[in-house]
Amino acid sequence: MRIILVGYGVVGKGVTSILTQRYNEKVKDGFNPKIVAIADIDGAVINPRGLSPEKLDAIKQKGYPISADPEFGVPGIKALDVIKEVEAEVVVEVTPVNIQTAEPAISHITQAFRTGKHVVTTNKGPLALAMPALTELAEYNNVVFRFSGTVGGGTPMLEFAKRCLIGDRILGIKGILNGTTNYILSEMSQNRVSFQDALSSAQKLGYAEREPSMDIDGFDTACKTVILANWILNQKVTLKDVDRVGIRDVTLEMLDEAAKRGNSIKLIGSIDGKNKPTVKPIEIPKTSPLCVSGVLNAVTYQCQFAAEQTIIGRGAGSIETAGAVLRDLLDIRHKLASKLLT
Ligand code: HSE
């Protein structure tokens, strides 16, 4: 499988690390990933025969800019041209999130679709702003579009619902979908840390978005709620359809009052199938499986037959999210191998 990697930040580097390990395991499961190009803002490295594990390691060691590589560097080439011109089966899009315009990721993704390439992304921006249109465009072009790492990081929250709960009917979804806000609320209530100090610690842990408002004001949770609504409940919604309140106004006093009632306040993304998706801080019982602390994420699927099913795990991290990319690549390979695509 030939792969073009677009974006070489924290997740992009995690992807090359994981795929480098997999190069040596191809005999085990027949999966033979080859990164034929990495495109970043300043240019690209391109080797149509596949960048070797040694080269990928050397690129990581030498650091930025990747296009300075003496053998395969192509300074100045645009990612859109790399996607169009380099032969590959899959584009892995891991550029930074932009929820204003979804660029440049949305152009990368649509370019890949138009040139017949499957897409794996961890980028929430295009999905939050245009998920119904993107899934339709992928179908129209007969390519697979996967985005497991956008919700729950390495925790297979989308697959759990889509595959493990197949046959059941999911009636509603509630989730703690943002590690940063969960960490802040946990630190405030359990350790009496101030909002600002808790936010600074979360930023040091590497979970927080570059722009704190993305986490604190619930935009990140809203993006993930949109993805769940579309993918699991088949609702054609985008970010503007979400009723959203963040955690800025949650005080220590409110957390104390909730604790007296045996509850915790958590930022919850909810979809019930009847009303608009919502994101807001709500009280949930401490005994609920959904009530996880620290940077953990959790989602509860309310099912017709299986009742409540909750999946818990880490919702971010370089290698965890890269693991989700690998999961998606294997899913695409499986689909290609079983000729589910024409
Ligand atoms: N800022 C996000 C979080 C990162 O805290 O969960 C993962 O999407």
Side-chain angles (χ1 to χ4, degrees):
M1 176 185 278
R2 293 168 298 177
I3 297 162
I4 297 171
L5 176 63
V6 183
Y8 195 57
V10 177
V11 178
K13 291 190 175 92
V15 170
T16 62
S17 295
I18 282 192
L19 292 186
T20 298
Q21 287 174 31
R22 295 293 300 211
Y23 275 117
N24 305 321
E25 294 172 20
K26 61 186 169 192
V27 187
K28 284 187 195 149
D29 62 6
F31 178 54
N32 184 14
K34 277 195 181 95
I35 298 182
V36 290
I38 306 175
D40 206 2
I41 33 176
D42 285 0
V45 272
I46 302 171
N47 180 3
R49 300 176 64 192
L51 297 158
S52 67
E54 296 73 33
K55 177 55 74 180
L56 290 170
D57 281 344
I59 290 167
K60 198 176 295 170
Q61 299 304 328
K62 292 221 175 81
Y64 193 76
I66 54 172
S67 59
D69 183 81
E71 259 180 301
F72 302 117
V74 187
I77 189 168
K78 289 192 166 46
L80 282 174
D81 293 327
V82 175
I83 295 167
K84 189 171 160 197
E85 285 159 22
V86 176
E87 284 188 26
E89 281 71 45
V90 184
V91 170
V92 173
E93 215 292 343
V94 292
T95 60
V97 178
N98 168 349
I99 61 161
Q100 269 73 46
T101 64
E103 293 292 2
I106 197 162
S107 293
H108 296 156
I109 292 170
T110 51
Q111 176 81 308
F113 289 165
R114 290 199 183 96
T115 53
K117 295 175 176 89
H118 310 290
V119 173
V120 173
T121 190
T122 59
N123 195 319
K124 290 158 279 193
L127 293 162
L129 299 194
M131 188 154 175
L134 285 172
T135 46
E136 214 176 295
L137 191 64
E139 241 171 71
Y140 177 79
N141 285 284
N142 203 22
V143 292
V144 184
F145 185 33
R146 288 289 177 269
F147 32 80
S148 176
T150 56
V151 181
T155 310
M157 292 183 165
L158 299 178
E159 290 93 335
F160 179 69
K162 204 76 172 170
R163 296 205 193 132
C164 301
L165 297 174
I166 191 168
D168 210 323
R169 183 182 299 166
I170 296 174
L171 307 168
I173 304 174
K174 279 192 195 328
I176 295 175
L177 303 168
N178 178 271
T180 302
T181 48
N182 202 33
Y183 179 84
I184 293 171
L185 294 173
S186 302
E187 282 294 288
M188 285 171 74
S189 64
Q190 290 163 12
N191 300 324
R192 318 244 7 114
V193 175
S194 73
F195 186 101
Q196 203 48 50
D197 288 348
L199 171 61
S200 304
S201 309
Q203 284 167 330
K204 281 183 202 127
L205 285 175
Y207 269 52
E209 301 292 326
R210 281 182 205 179
E211 167 51 56
S213 168
M214 270 289 286
D215 293 311
I216 296 165
D217 294 318
F219 289 105
D220 179 70
T221 301
C223 292
K224 292 164 177 167
T225 304
V226 164
I227 296 167
L228 284 163
N230 278 274
W231 192 235
I232 309 300
L233 292 183
N234 205 23
Q235 295 181 359
K236 307 281 181 225
V237 291
T238 64
L239 193 55
K240 65 177 172 11
D241 300 310
V242 181
D243 265 342
R244 178 190 43 78
V245 180
I247 63 162
R248 279 185 201 268
D249 296 334
V250 178
T251 61
L252 278 172
E253 292 66 38
M254 289 160 78
L255 290 160
D256 287 346
E257 285 305 311
K260 283 183 201 155
R261 291 186 282 272
N263 295 336
S264 287
I265 298 177
K266 299 288 183 186
L267 186 66
I268 303 285
S270 307
I271 316 144
D272 68 4
K274 288 186 216 108
N275 304 297
K276 283 175 111 181
T278 60
V279 171
K280 56 183 165 192
I282 56 175
E283 278 189 34
I284 58 169
K286 286 189 180 183
T287 50
S288 164
L290 187 61
C291 194
V292 294
S293 292
V295 292
L296 282 176
N297 283 199
V299 66
T300 298
Y301 296 105
Q302 180 66 48
C303 307
Q304 185 179 14
F305 308 133
E308 286 194 350
Q309 296 287 320
T310 301
I311 177 166
I312 298 168
R314 291 187 195 176
S318 165
I319 217 70
E320 290 87 345
T321 309
V325 170
L326 175 59
R327 210 158 57 218
D328 285 345
L329 290 170
L330 287 166
D331 187 33
I332 291 175
R333 177 184 164 270
H334 177 73
K335 282 200 158 41
L336 295 177
S338 47
K339 294 194 172 49
L340 291 177
L341 295 168
T342 53

